Amino acid sequence: MALSRLRLLTALVLIACNLTAWASNDNLTLAHDSKSEYVIVIATNPTPAIDQAANELKSTIQTISGADLPVIHDDAPPAPKSIILGRNRHLDALEQQSPLTDWAALGEEGFLIRTIENRLVIAGPSPRGTQYGLYAFLEKYLGCRWYSSRVTLIPHYDNITITSIDETNAPAFAYRDIYY
């Protein structure tokens, strides 16, 4: 009886290990031991909002993990591992393979966050939508919080690994403003 329980437990452990290994194939490791193979890709002539979003992403990942991700423009050849931020040529190339979303249906402030192979896409139909997508990614997937202009929580991790993401967000309201 004890031997059959041991065999059953061993079989379950082996199955769990195989499932964990299989599931981790879809993970993206954005940073490991204060280093990263990823680059942040923005348009060649970015709007100030996209430029600010790229700097915010770079700074936040560096604060979290110590990894310094270079920001490159979309006139560079596609990198094997990249974070595509905003609408640019690298995003257009991905959309040539398969449409990602109905951009018009997202409105001005909607966004898409999606992992595609070794790429993370954070983009909106407008620069403002991309910014909202970036902050949603930082909050939901990396655990960052902005409670006020003086109180923030940026966690510290040795590694940043994310699982497969396929999120679109189209806000119900045309503008996000509290008129305070």
Side-chain angles (χ1 to χ4, degrees):
M1 184 76 167
L3 186 58
S4 64
R5 285 186 183 170
L6 182 60
R7 286 182 182 158
L8 177 62
L9 182 60
T10 303
L12 289 174
V13 168
L14 289 174
I15 289 170
C17 288
N18 285 335
L19 287 175
T20 302
W22 175 77
S24 67
N25 289 339
D26 290 340
N27 294 346
L28 299 182
T29 300
L30 301 179
H32 180 72
D33 292 335
S34 300
K35 294 180 178 52
S36 180
E37 298 175 350
Y38 278 80
V39 297
I40 300 167
V41 180
I42 60 175
T44 301
N45 296 310
T47 64
I50 295 297
D51 199 37
Q52 188 263 337
N55 290 327
E56 184 79 30
L57 178 59
K58 176 185 174 72
S59 170
T60 304
I61 287 179
Q62 190 166 28
T63 300
I64 291 172
S65 69
D68 186 18
L69 279 65
V71 177
I72 66 168
H73 294 120
D74 64 353
D75 55 359
K81 296 182 177 185
S82 59
I83 301 173
I84 299 173
L85 190 60
R87 305 291 299 271
N88 60 56
R89 287 182 225 164
H90 290 214
L91 182 62
D92 292 344
L94 285 176
E95 286 216 287
Q96 293 287 327
Q97 298 169 9
S98 174
L100 299 177
T101 191
D102 178 3
W103 295 102
L106 296 180
E108 283 293 307
E109 297 186 354
F111 58 84
L112 164 78
I113 305 172
R114 184 172 297 161
T115 54
I116 303 170
E117 297 171 358
N118 286 328
R119 291 176 181 85
L120 170 63
V121 175
I122 304 172
S126 70
R128 188 171 52 218
T130 298
Q131 284 185 312
Y132 286 130
L134 171 64
Y135 288 113
F137 170 75
L138 294 174
E139 286 183 0
K140 187 172 182 178
Y141 299 100
L142 299 188
C144 300
R145 298 289 183 267
W146 291 268
Y147 296 110
S148 74
S149 62
R150 289 186 245 165
V151 180
T152 62
L153 172 66
I154 307 295
H156 298 282
Y157 307 122
D158 292 331
N159 305 312
I160 300 175
T161 301
I162 58 172
T163 58
S164 179
I165 302 171
D166 185 2
E167 177 180 343
T168 53
N169 183 298
F173 297 98
Y175 297 101
R176 302 176 196 211
D177 199 338
I178 58 172
Y179 298 106
Y180 178 70

